[in-house]
């Protein structure tokens, strides 16, 4: 088990799922765990944390990740944007809130 962990949410259409698998494989080779499919639709802000509520990775504190990589701009609600902005303030982001919004 790695002590470094990132969250990732990539688009699945147009080959995004294949790209995601390649990225996860390369990160694993470097000892970095990846929580994939971190759709912020399945997250809530609660008790000072942003908690993931999806089937996989349920209960994971997203604000404690070492990095978040999101490249799925087409599926965002206002609440997801709020969570994205909040995460951007506390952890490093690839595709930051400012570049995204």
């Amino acid at each position: 088990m790695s002590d470094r962990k990132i969250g990732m949410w990539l688009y699945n259409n147009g080959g995004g799922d294949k790209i995601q698998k390649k990225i996860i494989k390369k990160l694993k080779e470097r000892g970095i765990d990846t929580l994939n499919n971190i759709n912020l639709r399945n997250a809530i802000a609660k008790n000072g944390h942003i908690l993931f509520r999806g089937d996989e990775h349920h209960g994971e504190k997203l604000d404690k990740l070492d990095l978040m990589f999101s490249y799925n701009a087409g599926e965002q609600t206002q609440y997801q944007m709020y969570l994205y902005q909040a995460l951007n303030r506390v952890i490093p982001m690839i595709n930051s809130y400012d570049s995204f919004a």
Side-chain angles (χ1 to χ4, degrees), residues 5-29:
K5 191 182 296 184
I6 71 161
M8 184 183 304
W9 187 34
L10 251 60
Y11 59 95
N12 284 318
N13 59 334
D17 54 339
K18 293 175 186 168
I19 294 168
Q20 180 173 249
K21 286 178 186 176
K22 287 180 183 180
I23 293 171
I24 291 170
K25 181 181 177 201
K26 293 292 185 183
L27 290 167
K28 188 174 184 175
E29 289 172 1

Side-chain angles (χ1 to χ4, degrees), residues 5-82:
K5 191 182 296 184
I6 71 161
M8 184 183 304
W9 187 34
L10 251 60
Y11 59 95
N12 284 318
N13 59 334
D17 54 339
K18 293 175 186 168
I19 294 168
Q20 180 173 249
K21 286 178 186 176
K22 287 180 183 180
I23 293 171
I24 291 170
K25 181 181 177 201
K26 293 292 185 183
L27 290 167
K28 188 174 184 175
E29 289 172 1
R30 290 161 176 79
I32 301 169
D33 290 333
T34 305
L35 308 179
N36 62 327
N37 299 320
I38 301 297
N39 183 341
L40 293 179
R41 171 186 57 207
N42 298 320
I44 60 169
K46 185 175 180 181
N47 297 327
H49 293 286
I50 298 175
L51 303 173
F52 192 66
R53 298 293 190 193
D55 292 335
E56 194 175 357
H57 317 302
H58 186 81
E60 192 74 43
K61 293 178 181 174
L62 301 180
D63 55 291
K64 297 297 183 183
L65 294 172
D66 294 299
L67 177 87
M68 179 71 179
F69 174 46
S70 176
Y71 197 74
N72 201 346
E75 301 181 35
Q76 300 293 333
T77 66
Q78 287 298 317
Y79 188 65
Q80 285 170 286
M81 294 295 286
Y82 163 77

